[in-house]
Amino acid sequence: MIDQAFIAAVRAHVGDEGIVSDPLELLTYECDGLPHLKQTPPLVCLPSSAEHVQEVVRLCYRHDVPFVARGHGSGLSGGAMPIAGGVVIGLARLNRVLDVDIPNRRVTVEPGVTNLEITRQVAPHGFYYAPDPSSQQVCSIGGNVAENSGGAHCLKYGFTVHHVLSVEAVLSNGDLVHLDSSIADAPGPDLLGVLIGSEGTLAIVTKVTVRILRKPEAVMTLLAAYDDIPSAGAAVSDIIAAGIIPAAVEIMDGVSLIAVEAAVHPNFPPAEAILIVELDGPVAEVREQFEQVEAICHRAGASVVEIAKTEEHRARIWKGRKGAFASMGRVTPNYYVQDGVVPRTKLPEVLDRIRQLEKRCGLRIASTPADR
Ligand SMILES: Cc1cc2nc3c(=O)[nH]c(=O)nc-3n(C[C@H](O)[C@H](O)[C@H](O)COP(=O)(O)OP(=O)(O)OC[C@H]3O[C@@H](n4cnc5c(N)ncnc54)[C@H](O)[C@@H]3O)c2cc1C
């Protein structure tokens, strides 16, 4: 139970600046990106080192106080929502980049470092960090590890689990463990694989080493506009059926397009559906496959096919796509998010059925299918 003795013991380790107990300030921590589930915590700790995390967890263990880890609170599934009567352990102050090792293509960071910061650190050397959730400007690497986050480019490059080489983590009794996958096919159970995606239920991650990739020689991006979403879905199936693995394939429907245009002004052509396809790799391969993709998009009925001619143009297209979810507030004060998985070949049929349901139920539904 949280009592004055417990709070004093926590304060002795993390200091006054590492404690949030003011009722107004605690409201910041009452939910994550799933705001209709709320629970105001009695106490938030903001440790600034792994040792602090260990001490706070040990105290919780001894005093039988439940706790939940929190990165930057952008999760959409309530994972960082406080437990009634429990402590929130916020990792935002563990935000140091510990090592940028270009020759060995790895970067070691504390969990509060944002996803995009890793790419910022290595971009001058011609490298990047592949997992790119749409929230990458704000979400933490610790949160990415806990949620096994992916993004637009995970069709070709995989999820967080495919890019984490090792972690340091604090177990529920305060012990510090190191889990490593840098040796391929090491004997024994894949504990790192178990931890990644465990939503903070197994341990608090205090250090992460990730693999970085060399920027591809060429990147080409196109945007195709359609009069209906099933046609865009059919183009996706045809691209994959042609044996092409794009770096990213994403669709946005009419409602999403209204929202992003209002919020981030990507200046997309008028359409009921927009398909974004990005190819990357060696120049010769990308050029050849890109021609095929362009032809497939036209065959599927595209009214406009726009090719990103400059890096700014490409960035604008992605700003529009990555801003889709956060822009929904422009078209509605309230919305409910559903993430689902459908077989690629069933996509046109499923999207068509969603449209029928929308009419039948009188609800507006925004769809942003992505190929993973
Ligand atoms: C606009 C928007 C777009 C998004 N787009 C994507 C997307 O494209 N792809 C995607 O996968 N997700 C997406 N998300 C969801 C979210 O950003 C990710 O799940 C992200 O990884 C959460 O990181 P966070 O730092 O905000 O974690 P939080 O929300 O703070 O926590 C998420 C979970 O991780 C646990 N956790 C946090 N830090 C640690 C730690 N150090 N050790 C152990 N457990 C920890 C928490 O207990 C909780 O269970 C999006 C969210 C928003 C709001």
Side-chain angles (χ1 to χ4, degrees):
M1 191 186 112
I2 297 182
D3 53 19
Q4 287 311 316
F6 176 81
I7 295 175
V10 171
R11 184 174 275 119
H13 290 293
V14 298
D16 282 342
E17 66 287 354
I19 297 259
V20 181
S21 55
D22 176 82
L24 263 182
E25 291 177 8
L26 286 171
L27 292 180
T28 304
Y29 300 91
E30 65 182 1
C31 66
D32 58 9
L34 187 69
H36 66 272
L37 294 182
K38 287 183 181 165
Q39 175 72 54
T40 309
L43 186 71
V44 173
C45 301
L46 300 173
S48 44
S49 67
E51 292 72 32
H52 282 173
V53 176
Q54 278 186 280
E55 293 304 341
V56 174
V57 169
R58 274 188 197 124
L59 283 167
C60 289
Y61 186 72
R62 273 188 228 126
H63 291 252
D64 208 15
V65 171
F67 63 86
V68 68
R70 181 183 173 101
H72 293 175
S74 71
L76 300 171
S77 48
M81 197 184 87
I83 299 162
V87 175
V88 171
I89 303 180
L91 284 310
R93 289 192 180 162
L94 272 81
N95 59 359
R96 284 163 288 237
V97 175
L98 301 172
D99 188 32
V100 176
D101 180 357
I102 298 295
N104 289 304
R105 301 186 177 195
R106 56 184 60 194
V107 173
T108 301
V109 295
E110 289 185 327
V113 168
T114 60
N115 171 296
L116 195 58
E117 183 57 26
I118 299 183
T119 290
R120 283 202 191 105
Q121 293 280 330
V122 299
H125 305 279
F127 286 83
Y128 73 111
Y129 177 57
D132 61 340
S134 297
S135 52
Q136 66 185 145
Q137 297 194 28
V138 294
C139 66
S140 73
I141 282 295
N144 289 181
V145 169
E147 298 285 350
N148 190 21
S149 293
H153 292 82
C154 60
L155 170 64
K156 184 166 178 183
Y157 293 101
F159 294 79
T160 299
V161 70
H162 303 111
H163 299 270
V164 172
L165 296 172
S166 66
V167 301
E168 174 194 272
V170 175
L171 300 180
S172 60
N173 62 358
D175 286 355
L176 195 70
V177 293
H178 298 265
L179 303 175
D180 203 302
S181 77
S182 46
I183 304 163
D185 299 325
D190 174 17
L191 294 178
L192 184 59
V194 173
L195 182 76
I196 297 172
S198 63
E199 302 194 352
T201 57
L202 299 180
I204 298 188
V205 173
T206 50
K207 199 193 283 183
V208 187
T209 299
V210 297
R211 172 187 294 121
I212 48 166
L213 302 180
R214 190 173 275 289
K215 277 188 201 160
E217 197 185 355
V219 179
M220 292 182 79
T221 311
L222 70 69
L223 176 157
Y226 292 90
D227 293 339
D228 57 75
I229 197 160
S231 303
V236 174
S237 293
D238 293 348
I239 290 167
I240 305 292
I244 298 169
I245 303 291
V249 188
E250 304 267 332
I251 298 176
M252 296 168 70
D253 74 348
V255 179
S256 322
L257 292 169
I258 293 169
V260 289
E261 215 52 67
V264 296
H265 325 299
N267 204 15
F268 287 155
E272 275 309 305
I274 290 279
L275 170 67
I276 299 170
V277 187
E278 186 160 283
L279 301 183
D280 69 8
V283 176
E285 178 189 303
V286 170
R287 279 209 188 118
E288 195 199 308
Q289 292 193 341
F290 201 74
E291 276 176 24
Q292 291 182 55
V293 168
E294 212 183 323
I296 290 170
C297 289
H298 280 297
R299 269 204 304 277
S303 53
V304 177
V305 174
E306 201 177 285
I307 295 167
K309 293 271 184 322
T310 60
E311 190 46 41
E312 289 70 40
H313 190 177
R314 176 177 170 249
R316 179 159 54 79
I317 291 175
W318 281 117
K319 190 175 173 193
R321 172 60 189 94
K322 294 196 172 191
F325 177 64
S327 305
M328 285 306 151
R330 296 285 179 149
V331 288
T332 174
N334 247 317
Y335 57 98
Y336 189 59
V337 186
Q338 288 284 309
D339 258 336
V341 178
V342 293
R344 187 178 290 131
T345 50
K346 298 282 180 203
L347 193 58
E349 191 182 325
V350 169
L351 294 172
D352 197 35
R353 184 94 175 91
I354 289 173
R355 282 288 155 264
Q356 291 169 23
L357 286 170
E358 184 176 28
K359 283 188 195 132
R360 202 177 84 197
C361 306
L363 289 170
R364 262 201 303 181
I365 304 176
S367 303
T368 54
D371 209 307
R372 302 283 191 257

